[in-house]
Amino acid sequence: MSNARATHLSRRGILAAGGALGLGAVLAACGDDDAKSGGSDKETAAAKSGPWSFKDDRGTTAKTDRIPANIVSFIGVAAALHDYGIESKGVFGPTKLKDGKADVQAGDLDISKVTIIGNEWGQFNIEKYAALSPDVLITTMFDSAGTLWYVPEESKKKILAVGAPSVGISVYDVQLPTPLARMLELAKSLGADTTSSTITAAKKRFEDAAARLRAAAKAKPDVKVLVGSASQDIFYVSGSNLSVDLEYFKSLGVNFVEPSAAALKASGGWYENLSWENVDKYGADIIMMDNRTSAIQPADITEGTWKKLPAVKADQVIARNPEPILSYAKCAPLLEDLAKAIENAKKVS
């Protein structure tokens, strides 16, 4: 993402810079029974016929007369619920690239089967949204105020006036297992068979990956991990607080490079801004880099100061999604990749 966008929208800038980012999905369109869940036809029918409610992380209870069928969600939430067999009818947020391919935040979602009502920050086509006859609007929240992620503040009242209740899942200052459990709970309420072998196996893989990461961090406690995100003029160094993934990895023993509280203050605690001339301020053995399309990717960084970093020269740079897709299937590899990097890391700082 450009530095200009980060400047114009401080909250977006904070998150897009790699602090924690960056996120409902649902049952497929009306009548698409096959896409609903891994449950039985009887379970699906029962879910469709009865009233539905879900208490979100704002303490607000969303209610509908029947289980939502026309669900509109932030793309990351849609991708997570897709992994649980729950499909969104409409999505908003980074979904389609300029070449027509799916954005990384879409996960395994087939973006040709959803209506995109906004593909960038600030975009939300209310007319398209209303035309979907939405039953519920689902997204994440990256602050303590319960701000709905990627729902434009300037048009929020008009969006909510369409009539669909909203659901917000918090990914602010909590560890990864918490929103993972909440997303699974939401999926279950929408008709997912959360006891299926697929979901059970994914959760087991996540737990095994956490154990592996804990063991790797314990075996190599001196390996330092720096978390960064690149823009044209600024290199952002994230602190481990506030972000759902980094807080969790730190609890497992990962040794993160931590900017000072004073350095983090300007961003509300998320990250420190560095010029490319000062990108070598911190020593690191592994660098985790923001893999979202809003950030410049490591292969495209041309600054000589970057190329001289010991971790870069040692090829110890791995990807990180600051807005993890909140399904066990998508989060397990995040832990596995970091564990592998620590296991194989050479001490270069």
Side-chain angles (χ1 to χ4, degrees), residues 93-179:
T95 302
K96 182 185 290 187
L97 303 177
K98 292 181 179 179
D99 62 6
K101 296 181 180 179
D103 189 277
V104 65
Q105 295 192 63
D108 295 329
L109 197 65
D110 184 346
I111 62 172
S112 70
K113 295 183 178 180
V114 294
T115 297
I116 301 172
I117 61 176
N119 198 54
E120 298 178 5
W121 180 259
Q123 290 183 352
F124 197 109
N125 190 310
I126 301 176
E127 289 73 23
K128 278 189 177 181
Y129 175 62
L132 292 175
S133 299
D135 294 323
V136 67
L137 173 70
I138 310 175
T139 187
T140 47
M141 303 180 297
F142 281 93
D143 59 29
S144 59
T147 305
L148 298 175
W149 187 233
Y150 264 83
V151 175
E153 285 296 309
E154 62 273 16
S155 54
K156 178 182 175 181
K157 289 184 178 180
K158 291 183 179 180
I159 292 168
L160 296 181
V162 170
S166 62
V167 170
I169 300 297
S170 178
V171 286
Y172 174 76
D173 199 17
V174 293
Q175 293 184 15
L176 190 55
T178 297

Side-chain angles (χ1 to χ4, degrees), residues 206-257:
F206 177 84
E207 293 167 348
D208 290 346
R212 178 182 174 184
L213 180 55
R214 186 189 296 276
K218 184 176 181 180
K220 291 189 174 181
D222 294 333
V223 169
K224 295 181 180 179
V225 180
L226 182 145
V227 182
S229 183
S231 69
Q232 183 175 353
D233 301 314
I234 299 173
F235 184 80
Y236 304 91
V237 179
S238 295
S240 64
N241 292 329
L242 305 182
S243 302
V244 290
D245 58 338
L246 303 185
E247 283 199 7
Y248 185 49
F249 299 161
K250 184 177 181 180
S251 77
L252 296 175
V254 175
N255 182 9
F256 284 112
V257 169

Side-chain angles (χ1 to χ4, degrees), residues 179-194:
L180 275 172
R182 290 290 283 152
M183 192 63 69
L184 186 65
E185 182 183 354
L186 175 60
K188 182 178 181 180
S189 80
L190 294 169
D193 177 9
T194 57

